[in-house]
């Protein structure tokens, strides 16, 4: 059991990190994947790992693995091969095989369907101003249901939002890196198409298009070698032609868009693809609120609690996620509506205890006391709540973020209101998000400061579209339609765009 919460079921794979299937006692209704990075990795690898979590949090596409939480492993209860001090991310569990391991029904028809799905994900990423940079067979999981393939892309640690075309850092896995990136020339999203071409070449010819082994020789071959595209008994010439265009060394001759690849594969742009044309989540036009929060955190004497208020869709959750990204000592409580009061308090305490800011500062005796507490019944945990909060806050200064604060059941709400004064006394910074249209629970808290989030201004809406979509997306047309027909609440803008696409 990891952190008294995650029960390991089996190992799924290993690379820079290890991945396991697990059960989460806080959300026991389904299995999860937990990706674990050992503590021996360097700081850069650690930064890439945590960056992947926040990247996945922004991406909403059925072809991309979903991430839920990240943290540090402080207690393992003897789990073999898992070290304390490791960083972890919990994700959805997708029961699939790596692309090159798939043996079932691996014919051209199914491969085309797989490539279509990959291209649909790439279009979503590219239109949302991301470049993947690390497309390779190991990062493509495939499962079959009723003989039909379904894919998930994983490992987005190298993916970049709006990268500079003059950012000449070589990124990716040697065999799959595009020539222009290797030559440190200006590049764009088509570097991902080159990677896709190498993958398909491997599948067609059971080899790479060059014999190089060392990294330097691979780079040289990618830049200089002319690739051979001989005919195949298993794949049509039309399909091989697509691969040849993907592997063009001249970027201008390569595909410009994933949609063009899908068309050449013989598919139409039906609703299964176009309904995902919504952009990834972006944090936009709320810098003034972040500045206020930053000053609040810097004021060590302040015992205020901040309430972020607004209707659904104004970006309250995104704001809390942004604060969590900016401040490593922030503990976020979200996506827990429906828990009973006992379950909610148990979950909240576990999140605080095993945070990077709290657990390392506890004495061995305090750790034993708290671990024993978490093994007790939820009722017993609540009976000792005041003593536990006093222990946790006496020498630990963390930030507590609570989403949907006024949407819990009444008993859970009572406990939350009871806890917050205990935090205020010890100068623990607390930010809550409350939904307008419901009674504001924060009215029962002393020394509360309200921040109201509302609709975008027209200028903020324009900036939102600019930050949400790539340069070749018809933003001007969308802007005119939104201005004429929709309100400017961020969530409603996205819903309106979804309706435009569907119609």
């Amino acid at each position: 059991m990891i952190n008294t919460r995650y029960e390991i079921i089996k190992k799924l794979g290993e690379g820079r990190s290890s991945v396991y299937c697990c059960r989460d006692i806080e959300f026991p209704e389904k299995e999860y994947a937990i990706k674990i990075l050992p503590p021996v990795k360097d700081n850069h690898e650690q930064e890439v790992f945590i960056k992947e979590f926040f990247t996945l949090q922004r991406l909403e596409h059925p072809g991309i693995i979903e991430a839920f939480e990240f943290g540090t492993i402080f207690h393992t209860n003897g789990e073999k091969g898992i070290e304390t001090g490791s960083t972890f991310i919990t994700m959805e569990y997708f029961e699939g095989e790596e692309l090159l391991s798939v043996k079932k029904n691996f014919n051209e028809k199914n491969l085309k369907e797989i490539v279509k799905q990959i291209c649909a994900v790439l279009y979503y990423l590219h239109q949302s101003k991301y470049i993947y940079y690390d497309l390779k067979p190991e990062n493509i999981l495939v499962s079959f249901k009723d003989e039909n393939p379904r894919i998930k892309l994983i490992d987005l640690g190298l993916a970049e939002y709006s990268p500079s075309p003059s950012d000449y850092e070589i990124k990716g896995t040697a065999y799959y890196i595009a020539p222009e990136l290797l030559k440190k020339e200006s590049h764009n999203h088509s570097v991902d198409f080159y990677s896709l071409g190498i993958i398909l070449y491997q599948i067609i010819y059971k080899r790479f298009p060059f014999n190089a082994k060392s990294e330097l020789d691979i780079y040289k071959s990618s830049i200089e070698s002319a690739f051979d595209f001989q005919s195949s008994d298993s794949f049509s010439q039309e399909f091989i032609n697509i691969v040849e265009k993907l592997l063009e060394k001249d970027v201008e001759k390569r595909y410009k868009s994933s949609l063009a690849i899908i068309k050449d594969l013989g598919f139409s742009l039906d609703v299964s693809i176009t309904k995902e044309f919504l952009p990834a989540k972006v944090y936009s036009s709320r810098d003034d609120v972040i500045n206020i929060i930053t000053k609040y955190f810097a004021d060590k004497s302040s015992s205020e609690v901040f309430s972020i208020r607004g209707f659904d869709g104004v970006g309250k959750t995104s704001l809390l996620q942004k604060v969590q990204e900016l401040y490593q000592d922030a503990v976020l409580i979200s996506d827990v509506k429906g828990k009973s009061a006992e379950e909610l308090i148990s979950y909240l305490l576990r999140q605080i205890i095993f945070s990077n800011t709290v657990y390392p500062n506890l004495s061995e005796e305090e750790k034993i006391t708290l671990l024993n507490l978490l093994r007790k019944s939820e009722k017993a945990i609540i009976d000792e709540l005041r003593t536990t909060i006093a222990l946790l806050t006496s020498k630990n200064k963390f930030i507590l973020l609570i989403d949907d604060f006024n949407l819990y059941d009444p008993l859970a709400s009572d406990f939350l209101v009871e806890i917050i004064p205990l935090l205020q006394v010890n100068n623990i910074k607390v930010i809550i998000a409350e939904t307008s249209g419901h009674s504001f629970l924060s009215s029962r808290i002393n020394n509360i400061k309200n921040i109201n989030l509302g609709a975008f201004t027209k200028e903020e809406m324009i900036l939102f579209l600019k930050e949400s979509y790539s340069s070749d997306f018809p933003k001007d047309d969308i802007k005119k339609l939104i201005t004429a027909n929709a309100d400017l609440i961020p969530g409603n803008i996205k819903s309106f765009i979804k309706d435009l696409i569907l119609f």
Side-chain angles (χ1 to χ4, degrees):
M1 186 80 75
I2 293 173
N3 289 358
T4 73
R5 178 175 173 184
Y6 301 107
E7 179 188 356
I8 299 298
I9 299 172
K10 62 181 177 181
K11 192 170 189 176
L12 300 175
E14 187 165 9
R16 294 191 299 266
S17 53
S18 300
V19 183
Y20 299 83
C21 176
C22 72
R23 291 189 186 91
D24 181 356
I25 65 168
E26 294 288 356
F27 303 95
E29 62 277 1
K30 61 181 180 179
E31 294 177 346
Y32 295 85
I34 184 166
K35 183 175 180 178
I36 299 174
L37 182 72
V40 294
K41 302 295 182 181
D42 61 32
N43 288 338
H44 176 69
E45 190 122 21
Q46 178 95 359
E47 288 168 5
V48 168
F49 190 81
I50 294 174
K51 173 176 161 285
E52 179 185 12
F53 169 77
F54 288 108
T55 297
L56 289 173
Q57 284 265 292
R58 298 185 194 101
L59 302 176
E60 301 174 286
H61 192 283
I64 298 175
I65 211 77
E66 187 178 359
F68 302 112
E69 294 186 19
F70 82 96
T72 302
I73 295 174
F74 291 116
H75 186 262
T76 64
N77 203 27
E79 290 288 357
K80 186 180 292 187
I82 298 176
E83 302 176 63
T84 57
S86 299
T87 309
F88 70 87
I89 299 172
T90 59
M91 302 177 291
E92 68 172 304
Y93 174 52
F94 180 74
E95 198 165 2
E97 299 176 274
E98 293 178 0
L99 178 60
L100 293 188
S101 299
V102 174
K103 299 293 186 287
K104 180 180 179 181
N105 296 329
F106 210 69
N107 51 40
E108 182 170 321
K109 178 178 178 291
N110 281 334
L111 183 57
K112 281 184 174 182
E113 175 60 32
I114 289 169
V115 176
K116 181 189 83 169
Q117 292 182 33
I118 294 170
C119 287
V121 179
L122 290 179
Y123 185 74
Y124 167 79
L125 288 171
H126 297 161
Q127 72 159 20
S128 299
K129 303 178 74 170
Y130 282 86
I131 299 178
Y132 191 169
Y133 284 118
D134 201 20
L135 189 65
K136 58 184 179 181
E138 298 91 323
N139 290 344
I140 304 167
L141 298 183
V142 182
S143 71
F144 280 84
K145 183 177 181 181
D146 300 326
E147 307 301 315
N148 297 312
R150 179 177 170 228
I151 69 106
K152 291 275 185 184
L153 296 192
I154 62 172
D155 201 346
L156 278 84
L158 298 183
E160 290 283 353
Y161 167 75
S162 195
S164 167
S166 58
D167 176 5
Y168 297 137
E169 180 186 351
I170 297 175
K171 302 173 187 176
T173 302
Y175 286 103
Y176 305 93
I177 302 175
E180 63 271 23
L181 206 53
L182 295 173
K183 291 189 288 184
K184 298 187 175 181
E185 296 176 347
S186 180
H187 70 279
N188 59 28
H189 62 275
S190 72
V191 296
D192 289 338
F193 300 153
Y194 180 89
S195 302
L196 177 60
I198 293 290
I199 294 168
L200 297 179
Y201 193 102
Q202 276 183 277
I203 292 171
I204 293 171
Y205 299 112
K206 307 294 189 294
R207 60 180 176 85
F208 288 106
F210 37 75
N211 295 319
K213 302 297 182 188
S214 72
E215 191 169 275
L216 194 60
D217 286 341
I218 293 168
Y219 288 178
K220 192 171 186 295
S221 297
S222 296
I223 294 169
E224 298 176 359
S225 296
F227 299 160
D228 179 25
F229 295 93
Q230 60 192 12
S231 60
S232 166
D233 293 334
S234 303
F235 296 93
S236 67
Q237 189 59 46
E238 289 77 16
F239 189 75
I240 292 172
N241 291 343
I242 292 171
V243 178
E244 187 170 1
K245 189 170 180 178
L246 289 167
L247 290 174
E248 282 283 359
K249 298 185 191 301
D250 183 347
V251 178
E252 292 303 314
K253 295 180 180 178
R254 205 178 295 159
Y255 282 102
K256 301 290 189 297
S257 166
S258 303
L259 303 184
I261 304 171
I262 292 172
K263 181 182 176 183
D264 281 1
L265 287 168
F267 297 103
S268 60
L269 293 180
D270 58 26
V271 72
S272 68
I273 298 171
T274 57
K275 68 184 175 66
E276 308 301 341
F277 281 11
L278 286 173
K281 295 176 187 174
V282 295
Y283 178 79
S284 179
S285 302
R286 302 298 189 194
D287 290 343
D288 56 336
V289 180
I290 288 291
N291 291 336
I292 292 170
I293 290 171
T294 300
K295 290 176 183 176
Y296 163 57
F297 290 161
D299 184 355
K300 302 303 180 185
S301 63
S302 171
S303 61
E304 290 178 314
V305 170
F306 273 58
S307 171
I308 310 296
R309 297 177 172 182
F311 287 100
D312 285 340
V314 297
K316 301 185 298 296
T317 300
S318 294
L319 178 64
L320 294 186
Q321 289 174 341
K322 186 66 176 179
V323 174
Q324 184 194 27
E325 184 176 356
L326 292 173
Y327 293 91
Q328 292 187 355
D329 53 351
V331 177
L332 175 61
I333 308 300
S334 66
D335 294 325
V336 290
K337 284 183 294 185
K339 279 185 174 291
S340 68
E342 293 84 359
E343 291 169 337
L344 176 62
I345 297 305
S346 175
Y347 173 74
L348 184 147
L349 287 179
R350 188 174 273 108
Q351 292 295 86
I352 294 173
I353 290 167
F354 291 109
S355 67
N356 285 331
T357 309
V358 173
Y359 198 87
N361 293 326
L362 298 171
S363 69
E364 289 306 311
E365 183 180 350
E366 289 168 339
K367 289 175 183 176
I368 291 169
T369 298
L370 290 168
L371 288 171
N372 287 335
L373 172 69
L374 293 174
R375 294 188 185 102
K376 295 180 180 179
S377 69
E378 289 164 342
K379 182 181 183 304
I381 289 173
I382 285 183
D383 289 342
E384 298 182 38
L385 182 60
R386 282 184 170 273
T387 306
T388 305
I389 292 293
L391 169 61
L392 293 173
T393 58
S394 60
K395 59 181 180 180
N396 300 292
K397 300 306 174 195
F398 55 91
I399 298 165
L400 182 61
L401 313 172
I402 307 179
D403 201 6
D404 298 321
F405 188 73
N406 60 336
L407 299 182
Y408 299 113
D409 71 52
L411 188 56
S413 298
D414 288 342
F415 278 117
L416 289 174
V417 171
E418 182 181 338
I419 286 171
I420 285 181
L422 303 177
L423 301 174
Q424 287 176 289
V425 167
N426 289 282
N427 286 332
I428 301 298
K429 303 300 183 184
V430 180
I431 300 178
I432 62 177
E434 298 186 280
T435 300
S436 299
H438 300 262
S439 297
F440 290 124
L441 191 58
S442 59
S443 62
R444 296 163 54 189
I445 299 170
N446 291 326
N447 204 7
I448 193 82
K449 184 179 178 71
N450 301 321
I451 297 179
N452 294 302
L453 293 188
F456 283 153
T457 64
K458 185 177 179 182
E459 291 71 25
E460 288 171 339
M461 180 266 289
I462 293 169
L463 178 61
F464 172 75
L465 291 177
K466 181 180 179 182
E467 293 176 339
S468 296
Y469 283 114
S470 61
S471 59
D472 58 351
F473 206 83
K475 294 188 290 291
D476 287 340
D477 292 336
I478 291 175
K479 177 182 67 180
K480 291 174 185 175
L481 288 164
I482 291 170
T483 302
N485 300 287
D487 65 34
L488 299 186
I489 292 175
N492 292 351
I493 291 173
K494 290 189 74 168
S495 295
F496 181 71
I497 294 171
K498 182 177 182 179
D499 290 340
L500 286 177
I501 292 165
L502 290 175
F503 287 126

